[in-house]
């Protein structure tokens, strides 16, 4: 079974709809991240969380919100989707190993979101 | 603020030829460096990383990268590419003590038969 899972894998929606993307992990990591990937732009950080009570904005948080329901779950919401939010969305996790924090991140398979 | 530059958006190379994918970062403070690979229709996977110690790091599938602090570079190389290396490669950097990593825009490697 995959360590980091994302649901749904694909979603087509209409402008103005509320959308939630979910991420779960079994790695026991405390840190979780949401990125979006656009062709030619690489990955851009939307939000990140270091534990259940810690949420931080990333580079492009406008138009998005997140919820850290548990250590293993981190969801991303688009309150009112717009076409320029069409992208590939990735969840990632990281955690310390033997006390060494090296920020290596482990990625989910991605969610392809299309907003019409 | 830290930034990462991947100079080539696409690199075509013939099968069995050598390849170099270039990566430069902006800050010369202590850093962690990564190369991630994204195969078609998949998520990102860690290819190799530099944390400390030897400046030359290697992956299990023949790639290697060398940390050059004076040139703030972490170029990725492979002496002989295979069709299965077709993918997009992302360089990433994290400042020591920072909580995030910054990704480059990616380099798409095309292997020509």
């Amino acid at each position: 079974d995959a360590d980091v899972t994302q649901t749904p894998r694909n979603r087509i929606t209409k402008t103005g709809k509320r959308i939630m993307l979910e991420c779960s992990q079994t790695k026991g990591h405390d840190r979780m991240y949401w990125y979006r990937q656009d062709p030619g732009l690489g990955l851009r950080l939307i939000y990140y969380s270091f534990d259940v009570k810690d949420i931080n904005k990333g580079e492009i948080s406008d138009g998005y919100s997140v919820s850290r329901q548990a250590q293993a779950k981190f969801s991303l919401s688009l309150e009112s989707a717009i076409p320029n939010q069409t992208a590939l969305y990735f969840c990632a996790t990281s955690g310390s190993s033997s006390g060494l924090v090296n920020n290596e991140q482990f990625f989910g398979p991605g969610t392809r979101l299309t907003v019409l | 603020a830290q930034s990462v530059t991947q100079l080539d958006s696409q690199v075509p190379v013939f099968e069995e030829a050598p390849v170099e994918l270039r990566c430069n970062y902006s800050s010369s403070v202590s850093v962690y460096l990564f190369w991630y690979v994204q195969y078609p229709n998949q998520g990102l996977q860690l290819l190799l990383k530099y944390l400390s110690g030897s400046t030359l790091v290697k992956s299990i599938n023949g790639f290697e990268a060398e940390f050059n602090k004076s040139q703030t570079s972490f170029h990725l190389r492979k002496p002989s590419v295979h069709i299965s290396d077709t993918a997009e490669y992302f360089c990433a950097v994290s400042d020591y003590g920072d909580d995030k990593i910054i990704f480059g825009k990616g380099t798409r490697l095309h292997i020509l038969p």
Side-chain angles (χ1 to χ4, degrees), chain A residues 49-67:
Chain A
S49 168
F50 290 160
D51 64 39
V52 174
K53 297 181 181 179
D54 179 78
I55 302 290
N56 304 281
K57 292 184 177 181
E59 180 186 354
I60 53 163
S61 58
D62 288 349
Y64 301 94
S65 62
V66 291
S67 174

Side-chain angles (χ1 to χ4, degrees), chain B residues 33-87:
Chain B
L33 294 157
F34 309 87
W35 275 99
Y36 282 84
V37 59
Q38 184 180 28
Y39 297 106
N41 301 312
Q42 295 186 27
L44 278 74
Q45 307 172 33
L46 182 68
L47 185 62
L48 48 75
K49 62 186 177 184
Y50 169 80
L51 303 179
S52 64
S54 172
T55 57
L56 183 65
V57 292
K58 299 183 179 184
S59 72
I60 59 173
N61 59 351
F63 282 93
E64 63 180 35
E66 186 159 19
F67 168 51
N68 187 320
K69 187 174 182 178
S70 63
Q71 297 186 4
T72 60
S73 68
F74 191 55
H75 301 330
L76 181 70
R77 302 183 182 94
K78 188 171 185 179
S80 176
V81 297
H82 188 268
I83 194 72
S84 61
D85 294 323
T86 297

Side-chain angles (χ1 to χ4, degrees), chain A residues 9 31 33 35 37 40-43 45 48 50 88 90 100-105 107-109 112, chain B residues 32 34 36 38 41-46 49 51 88 90 94-95 98-101 103-106:
Chain A
R9 294 294 312 278
R31 303 178 178 196
Y33 308 79
Y35 295 90
Q37 183 182 20
L41 297 180
L43 273 75
L45 183 62
Y48 60 105
F50 290 160
L88 190 54
F90 286 104
L100 174 65
V101 178
N102 59 40
N103 291 348
E104 177 183 343
Q105 295 188 8
F107 285 80
R112 187 170 297 280
Chain B
Y32 300 131
F34 309 87
Y36 282 84
Q38 184 180 28
N41 301 312
Q42 295 186 27
L44 278 74
Q45 307 172 33
L46 182 68
K49 62 186 177 184
L51 303 179
E88 189 159 18
F90 293 92
S94 177
D95 289 338
D98 195 357
D99 302 316
K100 306 179 297 297
I101 63 175
F103 286 87
K105 294 184 177 181

Side-chain angles (χ1 to χ4, degrees), chain A residues 17-41:
Chain A
K17 293 291 187 180
R18 184 178 187 274
I19 296 295
M20 179 180 286
L21 310 183
E22 300 189 0
C23 176
S24 295
Q25 53 113 347
T26 58
K27 299 187 73 67
H29 285 166
D30 49 0
R31 303 178 178 196
M32 298 187 73
Y33 308 79
W34 275 105
Y35 295 90
R36 64 177 280 176
Q37 183 182 20
D38 300 276
L41 297 180

